[in-house]
């Protein structure tokens, strides 16, 4: 992990601009779908190896449409392949951006939590008599553990 602490701000206007940019992206992609967890599990996936397979199948279908049933929509297959290929670099870019945002959020959250632990420990050690007892007790609730279920019930004899 990087040992360089993150020291940055994210102004409200910048945040709003980023959120507006995301909204604009969604507007430009009105065909996006939201799949259920079951759909995600059951749909066949097209990865790198499948991309070559699909490309060859499209070429075979284009050059030999006579063996396909009349119900097969070659133009729809062509559109699906073209849309997939157009979305692929967008997906890669957004995935990279999401990883960067996730990593930054995790790192800065860790820094904030570590700083809060220092404050708590200093307040516990040096804050007695300074009117911090209530605050220290409130902060200490973060570390109280709930009793295990086995500790809640008395054994029946």
């Amino acid at each position: 992990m990087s040992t360089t602490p993150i020291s940055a701000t994210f102004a409200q206007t910048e945040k709003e601009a980023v959120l507006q940019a995301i909204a604009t992206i969604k507007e430009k992609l009105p065909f996006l779908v939201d799949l259920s967890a079951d759909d995600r599990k059951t749909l066949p996936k097209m990865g790198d190896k499948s991309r070559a397979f699909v490309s060859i199948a499209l070429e075979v279908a284009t050059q030999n449409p006579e063996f396909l049933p009349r119900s097969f929509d070659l133009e729809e297959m062509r559109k699906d392949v073209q849309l997939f290929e157009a979305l692929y670099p967008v997906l890669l870019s957004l995935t990279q951006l999401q990883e960067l945002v996730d990593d930054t959020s995790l790192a800065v959250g860790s820094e904030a939590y570590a700083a809060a632990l220092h404050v708590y420990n200093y307040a516990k050690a040096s804050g007695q008599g300074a009117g911090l007892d209530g605050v220290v007790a409130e902060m200490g609730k973060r570390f109280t553990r709930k009793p295990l279920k086995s500790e809640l019930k008395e054994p029946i004899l």
Side-chain angles (χ1 to χ4, degrees):
M1 182 180 149
S2 172
T3 57
T4 306
I6 298 170
S7 180
T9 59
F10 191 35
Q12 183 65 25
T13 55
E14 293 170 328
K15 179 178 148 186
E16 290 169 4
V18 168
L19 292 174
Q20 183 55 51
I22 292 168
T24 300
I25 291 169
K26 286 180 182 179
E27 286 175 19
K28 299 293 182 184
L29 303 170
F31 47 81
L32 294 178
V33 297
D34 185 13
L35 298 174
S36 70
D38 287 340
D39 289 340
R40 293 183 70 77
K41 287 179 188 173
T42 59
L43 287 174
K45 313 297 184 287
M46 185 154 90
D48 289 335
K49 292 179 183 177
S50 299
R51 286 174 74 189
F53 173 81
V54 169
S55 179
I56 293 168
L58 178 59
E59 190 60 36
V60 169
T62 300
Q63 292 182 14
N64 304 284
E66 67 278 355
F67 75 84
L68 297 171
R70 291 180 188 229
S71 62
F72 187 85
D73 192 341
L74 181 58
E75 190 53 37
E76 188 59 35
M77 180 185 183
R78 189 179 333 277
K79 285 173 51 180
D80 289 344
V81 170
Q82 288 171 346
L83 181 57
F84 179 85
E85 293 300 331
L87 284 174
Y88 195 71
V90 174
L91 176 64
L92 291 177
S93 183
L94 289 173
T95 300
Q96 181 183 18
L97 177 62
Q98 181 179 358
E99 287 178 12
L100 290 169
V101 172
D102 283 346
D103 289 350
T104 303
S105 181
L106 178 66
V108 77
S110 177
E111 289 176 15
Y113 185 65
L117 288 173
H118 287 299
V119 169
Y120 173 66
N121 287 324
Y122 292 141
K124 267 187 1 184
S126 305
Q128 294 172 340
L132 297 177
D133 293 342
V135 174
V136 169
E138 181 66 27
M139 291 174 75
K141 289 180 183 178
R142 159 65 180 89
F143 303 105
T144 57
R145 298 176 79 182
K146 293 181 181 178
L148 299 174
K149 288 182 181 180
S150 62
E151 294 174 6
L152 292 175
K153 296 180 182 178
E154 292 289 326
I156 301 174
L157 300 175

